[in-house]
């Protein structure tokens, strides 16, 4: 159970502690932040509301711990990460339980998130050992006008303190996707978990604590993003920000100093369906892509753009599958569970009502109880409706009928977002051309958009992000290239003759 067994240290009465200097602490603020269970709408957990002084302290320690961590051999850093991954996987049950209670993620998917996170940490440790163990050796005489008098050695060095801010929907996975690359690369790490998802993150951090990482290297500051977010992101000790979330990321980018940013933001992933597509395959992918975790995924299918000639058939197939989706508590592994908050449910309802007023066809009756919204497919959506452009982050999916592929591509490219997209057709040549034309970071051919596997590059164009994720890209982003140049008094050509006379 959450907060028990090996996790008792992280709880003070009914409030979870924050993690600083290798210890679990109670904030001097005397205040806590409530985490509301999305399904029951009652307070499930409480976390510390950390103060600015506590942030300052954490940053100070992160700076100093990083200096000795950078001198820790790479294989030792990897060994500790493997240990943390094993502890995390061994303790998947209480962590998954917190995910169920604080973000209403179905129980099975919650376990999957924790196991996937353990695998990501291990993969990162292995990849780090390989790519950080290699450098480059360059010779000066390849550039015009130069003799071979300079040897240039390159290696990758850490940036310093990395600030990680994940969102509520994959709090554990999107936290470790920042923590593991930062640590293997020799950085220290300050985590600010999402409020909904904080308790799962605190359990995950305890697994790193138990693995034996040095004091101060990893810290976890809790509190509302709206209250301590700016102080954290503009803190002078921070050398890199890795953020995943919504538009908040855009304002952070504008305020952050001259430091590397990894921003994975929102999306409005389009699913373009051509006339020759396998409609059963499309329907299954629309269900998986549009309704998994109640549509609260950055890479959810968020708009279907289907050729008019096959639209009726596709809509019927999707409707039949929507009817089979189970709706209810996450503990019972229902497909559709409560969305994360009342404000989120109200926002989704606003999009639905706007579509209703403007004449969209409702394939199911709109139904809501508290934060629980029944899955809804909206057909005949037109570009003047908000839902054609905005990200509902809920189990509501618009279908726009198109009369040409160009119309679909234009709709996709007119969006402010450019995360992923997908195209369904049996013609691979056409699919490649459409992929080239779509202004998104990734295009999936004949499958719904997806962030994983976690070692694939993952990036958004336009308002969907800055930089690229995926294990290798994250390690590279959290390092800087350092070069040392050896200057020789005479040119040095390997296997050259006249060695003695040149000496
Ligand atoms: P969000 O509201 O932007 O919050 C994300 C994180 O930012 C949370 O930890 C939040 O903390 C924190 N935060 C809030 N205000 C802040 C501030 N002023 N300074 C610093 N941090 C601040 O997003 P969300 O609702 O959790 O997640 C949904 C969004 O994430 C969607 O738009 C989705 O598309 C996007 N997303 C993108 C990806 C991707 O990889 N592209 C993946 C998953 C989700 P609090 O919880 O305490 O407010």
């Amino acid at each position: 159970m959450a907060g028990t067994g090996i996790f008792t240290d992280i709880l003070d009465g009914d409030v979870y502690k924050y993690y600083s200097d290798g210890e679990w602490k109670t904030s001097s603020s005397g205040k806590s932040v409530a985490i509301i269970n999305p399904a029951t709408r009652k307070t499930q957990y409480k976390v510390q509301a950390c103060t600015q002084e506590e942030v300052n302290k954490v940053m100070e320690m992160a700076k100093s711990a990083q200096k000795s961590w950078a001198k820790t051999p790479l294989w030792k850093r990897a060994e500790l990460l493997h240990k943390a991954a094993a502890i995390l996987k061994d303790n998947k049950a209480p962590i998954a339980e917190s995910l169920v209670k604080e973000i209403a993620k179905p129980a099975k998917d919650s376990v999957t998130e924790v196991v996937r996170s353990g695998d990501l940490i291990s993969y990162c440790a292995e990849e780090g050992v390989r790519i950080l163990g290699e450098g480059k050796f360059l010779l000066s005489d390849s550039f015009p006008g130069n003799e071979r008098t300079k040897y240039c050695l390159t290696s990758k060095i850490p940036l310093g303190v990395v600030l990680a801010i994940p969102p509520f929907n994959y709090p554990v996975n999107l936290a470790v996707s920042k923590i593991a690359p930062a640590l293997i690369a020799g950085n220290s790490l300050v985590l600010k978990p999402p409020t909904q998802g904080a308790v799962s993150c605190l359990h995950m951090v305890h697994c790193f604590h138990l693995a034996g990482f040095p004091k101060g290297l990893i810290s976890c500051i809790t509190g509302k993003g709206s209250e301590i977010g700016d102080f954290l992101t503009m803190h002078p000790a921070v050398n890199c920000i890795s953020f995943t979330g919504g538009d908040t990321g855009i304002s952070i980018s504008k305020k952050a100093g001259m430091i590397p940013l990894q921003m994975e933001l929102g999306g409005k992933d389009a699913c373009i369906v051509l006339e020759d597509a396998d409609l059963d395959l499309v329907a299954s992918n629309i269900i998986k892509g549009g309704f998994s975790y109640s549509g609260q995924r950055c890479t959810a299918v968020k708009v279907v753009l289907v050729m008019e000639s096959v639209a009726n058939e596709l809509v019927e197939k999707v409707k039949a599958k929507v009817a089979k989706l189970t709706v209810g508590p996450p503990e019972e592994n229902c497909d559709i569970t409560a969305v994360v908050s009342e404000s989120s449910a109200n926002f989704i309802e606003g999009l639905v009502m706007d579509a209703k007023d403007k004449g969209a066809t409702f394939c199911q009756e709109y139904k809501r109880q508290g934060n629980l919204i029944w899955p809804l497919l909206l057909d005949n959506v037109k570009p003047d409706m908000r839902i054609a452009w905005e990200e509902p982050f809920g189990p509501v999916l618009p279908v726009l009928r198109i009369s040409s592929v160009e119309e679909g591509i234009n709709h996709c490219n007119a969006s402010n977002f450019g995360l992923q997209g997908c195209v369904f057709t049996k013609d691979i040549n056409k699919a490649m051309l459409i992929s080239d034309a779509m202004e998104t970071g990734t295009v999936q051919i004949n499958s719904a958009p997806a962030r994983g596997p976690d070692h694939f590059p993952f990036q958004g164009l336009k308002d969907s992000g800055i930089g690229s994720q995926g294990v290798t890209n994250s390690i590279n982003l959290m390092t800087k290239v350092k070069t040392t140049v050896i200057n020789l008094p005479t040119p040095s050509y390997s296997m050259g003759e006249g060695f003695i006379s040149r000496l």
Side-chain angles (χ1 to χ4, degrees):
M1 219 180 113
T4 61
I6 62 162
F7 295 107
T8 41
D9 281 357
I10 75 174
L11 199 55
D12 177 13
D14 66 343
V15 186
Y16 279 88
K17 299 181 195 168
Y18 76 103
Y19 187 63
S20 161
D21 200 16
E23 287 171 21
W24 290 97
K25 296 183 176 170
T26 300
S27 171
S28 62
S29 72
K31 290 187 196 150
S32 64
V33 178
I35 297 174
I36 311 295
N37 181 322
T40 63
R41 294 194 289 161
K42 295 198 174 116
T43 298
Q44 182 73 46
Y45 303 122
K46 288 180 198 159
V47 291
Q48 307 292 326
C50 292
T51 63
Q52 295 190 350
E53 289 69 39
E54 284 155 355
V55 171
N56 284 336
K57 185 84 188 126
V58 150
M59 293 295 177
E60 204 182 290
M61 284 173 315
K63 268 170 81 169
S64 114
Q66 190 270 329
K67 300 265 181 279
S68 34
W69 181 243
K71 291 181 196 141
T72 304
L74 196 45
W75 66 266
K76 272 197 188 171
R77 291 185 223 155
E79 200 173 72
L80 282 174
L81 282 168
H82 282 301
K83 210 167 158 193
I87 299 172
L88 186 76
K89 283 171 142 184
D90 283 350
N91 291 284
K92 57 183 181 290
I95 304 175
E97 180 202 304
S98 333
L99 287 169
V100 169
K101 301 289 182 205
E102 57 185 342
I103 60 164
K105 182 167 281 191
K108 257 197 208 155
D109 297 346
S110 297
V111 173
T112 305
E113 176 171 342
V114 182
V115 174
R116 172 184 176 183
S117 302
D119 291 341
L120 197 162
I121 298 169
S122 298
Y123 193 102
C124 204
E126 287 165 16
E127 186 72 351
V129 164
R130 282 184 216 115
I131 66 172
L132 297 167
E134 282 179 359
K136 267 190 180 172
F137 171 48
L138 288 93
L139 297 162
S140 50
D141 64 317
S142 59
F143 200 87
N146 284 271
E147 289 289 349
R148 189 174 291 189
T149 50
K150 291 174 191 288
Y151 286 173
C152 177
L153 306 171
T154 79
S155 59
K156 285 180 185 145
I157 56 166
L159 298 175
V161 180
V162 174
L163 173 64
I165 307 182
F168 81 83
N169 59 346
Y170 289 88
V172 175
N173 184 261
L174 287 170
V176 303
S177 74
K178 304 169 187 318
I179 297 173
L183 295 181
I184 192 68
N187 300 289
S188 56
L189 192 286
V190 176
L191 172 69
K192 167 19 213 147
T195 296
Q196 301 289 142
V199 169
S200 320
C201 280
L202 292 168
H203 283 76
M204 173 271 294
V205 168
H206 194 52
C207 298
F208 282 82
H209 169 79
L210 295 173
F213 282 88
K215 278 178 167 219
L217 187 72
I218 307 168
S219 323
C220 186
I221 287 285
T222 51
K224 283 192 180 156
S226 53
E227 286 168 17
I228 51 161
D230 281 355
F231 191 72
L232 278 162
T233 53
M234 294 197 281
H235 201 285
V238 171
N239 303 109
C240 171
I241 302 174
S242 177
F243 174 94
T244 308
D247 286 351
T248 319
I250 298 178
S251 51
I252 292 175
S253 306
K254 287 178 181 154
K255 287 185 253 176
M258 212 176 78
I259 54 171
L261 300 176
Q262 187 179 42
M263 293 280 157
E264 293 294 345
L265 312 181
K268 183 74 182 170
D269 295 6
C271 169
I272 301 182
V273 185
L274 271 56
E275 282 155 325
D276 68 344
D278 173 344
L279 295 185
D280 289 314
L281 179 74
V282 183
S284 313
N285 274 277
I286 286 177
I287 293 294
K288 184 176 75 157
F291 296 101
S292 301
Y293 187 35
S294 308
Q296 298 174 110
R297 295 166 50 245
C298 55
T299 53
V301 169
K302 293 189 183 126
V303 58
V304 177
L305 302 161
V306 56
M307 291 294 284
E308 179 68 62
S309 59
V310 291
N312 284 345
E313 199 184 337
L314 179 66
V315 166
E316 283 312 311
K317 283 182 191 287
V318 177
K319 251 169 90 172
K321 287 184 188 292
V322 167
K324 289 188 187 147
L325 291 172
T326 54
V327 182
E331 289 83 355
E332 290 172 23
N333 276 315
C334 289
D335 299 311
I336 304 296
T337 56
V339 297
V340 71
S341 63
E342 191 173 343
S343 63
S344 180
N346 290 344
F347 175 76
I348 298 163
E349 186 163 291
L351 294 181
V352 171
M353 291 309 145
D354 173 76
K356 189 177 176 197
D357 292 346
K358 292 174 182 159
T361 308
F362 280 53
C363 298
Q364 298 80 19
E365 189 192 343
Y366 173 66
K367 198 171 158 197
R368 169 181 171 186
Q369 259 173 25
N371 297 343
L372 189 60
I373 294 178
W374 269 250
L376 178 64
L377 189 70
L378 295 171
D379 195 5
N380 294 305
V381 166
K382 300 284 181 259
D384 67 335
M385 299 176 191
R386 285 175 56 204
I387 197 149
W389 305 104
E390 294 179 40
E391 185 186 34
F393 234 59
V396 177
L397 183 60
V399 177
L400 268 85
R401 294 166 173 240
I402 51 173
S403 52
S404 68
V405 178
E406 288 71 25
E407 193 183 335
I409 293 169
N410 289 342
H411 186 93
C412 167
N413 292 349
S415 171
N416 290 339
F417 294 118
L419 192 58
Q420 289 210 354
C422 60
V423 54
F424 285 85
T425 171
K426 292 190 185 114
D427 184 337
I428 185 67
N429 297 328
K430 247 189 211 168
M432 288 303 297
L433 291 176
I434 294 168
S435 170
D436 287 348
M438 286 170 81
E439 293 167 4
T440 59
T442 303
V443 173
Q444 304 268 351
I445 297 173
N446 291 327
S447 184
R451 188 161 50 85
D454 288 319
H455 67 303
F456 280 13
F458 178 60
Q459 53 282 315
L461 307 184
K462 300 191 270 186
D463 284 356
S464 289
I466 304 174
S468 179
Q469 271 192 3
V471 171
T472 314
N473 286 346
S474 292
I475 295 173
N476 285 333
L477 192 132
M478 292 175 186
T479 57
K480 212 171 162 67
V481 174
K482 161 92 190 237
T483 61
T484 301
V485 181
I486 302 171
N487 289 279
L488 305 170
T490 50
S492 164
Y493 289 94
S494 50
M495 310 300 285
E497 287 176 6
F499 162 75
I500 299 297
S501 62
R502 286 195 286 133
L503 204 64

